[in-house]
Amino acid sequence: LTSIFIPILSSRDLDNNFFHSWLSLYCPYILLSTSHEAIFSLLFPLLLYLWVLLESIIESTTPTQCTSYVLTHYITHLSQTQNQLSSRYVRRALFITFLGLLGFFGTGNIASVNTFDIASVYAFITLYSPFTMGLLLIVKIGIPLLWVGNACNLLIVTTHSRKSLLFLLVLIICDFMALHFFFMITDEGSWL
């Protein structure tokens, strides 16, 4: 229970804050995990951190690092138009969508809460209480999504991106995915 408050007491350094928030959610996730899900909880935040690190390295080209006047002028122009829609925002939105789906479906099939193994909840509750067990399973589903949200926040802060533009693109991508899904639904045959 006390591990949830670790990020509040940590330093304001972004890397340390990301690490502490991962650690604070790692303990409850491990207690709710069975078998291979513990490996997922180690590798998924590492993947998120490497993605943010690569995006910040791509973004780190500044005019002081360039030697050519033409290149310096071009990069200065790019930094002035950074808040406009560009391919880097589309790339980041696609990665956020992909990582959100990976965090949601990464540990198993969640098509129905009935498919979950209730044995993962027995560490917290031994009596049969379906609402409490369902709440714990929803917390288990939500922890990787919190990791993705924390990585998005770290990305926005380190690359000085516009949050509204980035999440509008994520929303548009998700709308296209939903439309594609709805057009593929048929009223014949089995849906399984």
Side-chain angles (χ1 to χ4, degrees):
L1 228 177
T2 59
S3 67
I4 297 172
F5 300 107
I6 289 176
I8 297 171
L9 303 174
S10 68
S11 68
R12 293 294 172 203
D13 183 32
L14 293 175
D15 294 335
N16 286 338
N17 199 359
F18 183 78
F19 179 70
H20 288 144
S21 66
W22 167 67
L23 278 181
S24 69
L25 296 172
Y26 181 73
C27 295
Y29 192 82
I30 285 295
L31 289 173
L32 288 169
S33 296
T34 56
S35 70
H36 68 282
E37 295 169 351
I39 297 171
F40 175 78
S41 66
L42 286 173
L43 296 180
F44 187 61
L46 179 66
L47 173 69
L48 291 171
Y49 183 73
L50 289 177
W51 169 60
V52 171
L53 188 66
L54 286 174
E55 285 287 341
S56 62
I57 287 172
I58 291 171
E59 193 72 28
S60 69
T61 306
T62 61
T64 58
Q65 295 173 338
C66 301
T67 57
S68 168
Y69 173 75
V70 175
L71 192 57
T72 304
H73 179 67
Y74 177 70
I75 290 176
T76 305
H77 176 69
L78 277 180
S79 65
Q80 291 172 352
T81 62
Q82 180 180 6
N83 288 332
Q84 297 175 357
L85 180 63
S86 64
S87 63
R88 69 177 141 231
Y89 278 102
V90 175
R91 180 186 66 232
R92 290 174 190 157
L94 286 171
F95 270 102
I96 289 170
T97 306
F98 170 73
L99 292 170
L101 288 173
L102 182 64
F104 195 65
F105 293 107
T107 60
N109 180 15
I110 65 154
S112 172
V113 177
N114 296 332
T115 61
F116 276 105
D117 186 16
I118 300 297
S120 64
V121 183
Y122 284 141
F124 294 103
I125 186 167
T126 56
L127 300 175
Y128 182 73
S129 175
F131 294 111
T132 308
M133 291 177 171
L135 178 69
L136 288 173
L137 290 175
I138 289 172
V139 166
K140 180 182 175 183
I141 293 169
I143 287 175
L145 297 177
L146 288 174
W147 286 333
V148 172
N150 192 11
C152 291
N153 186 32
L154 182 63
L155 175 76
I156 288 169
V157 170
T158 57
T159 60
H160 307 292
S161 301
R162 282 183 46 202
K163 188 186 311 185
S164 59
L165 181 61
L166 192 60
F167 288 118
L168 181 66
L169 286 172
V170 170
L171 184 65
I172 290 170
I173 290 169
C174 291
D175 286 344
F176 280 124
M177 289 170 48
L179 281 174
H180 176 69
F181 173 75
F182 285 134
F183 281 124
M184 294 194 60
I185 292 178
T186 60
D187 56 352
E188 304 172 344
S190 174
W191 285 15
L192 300 178

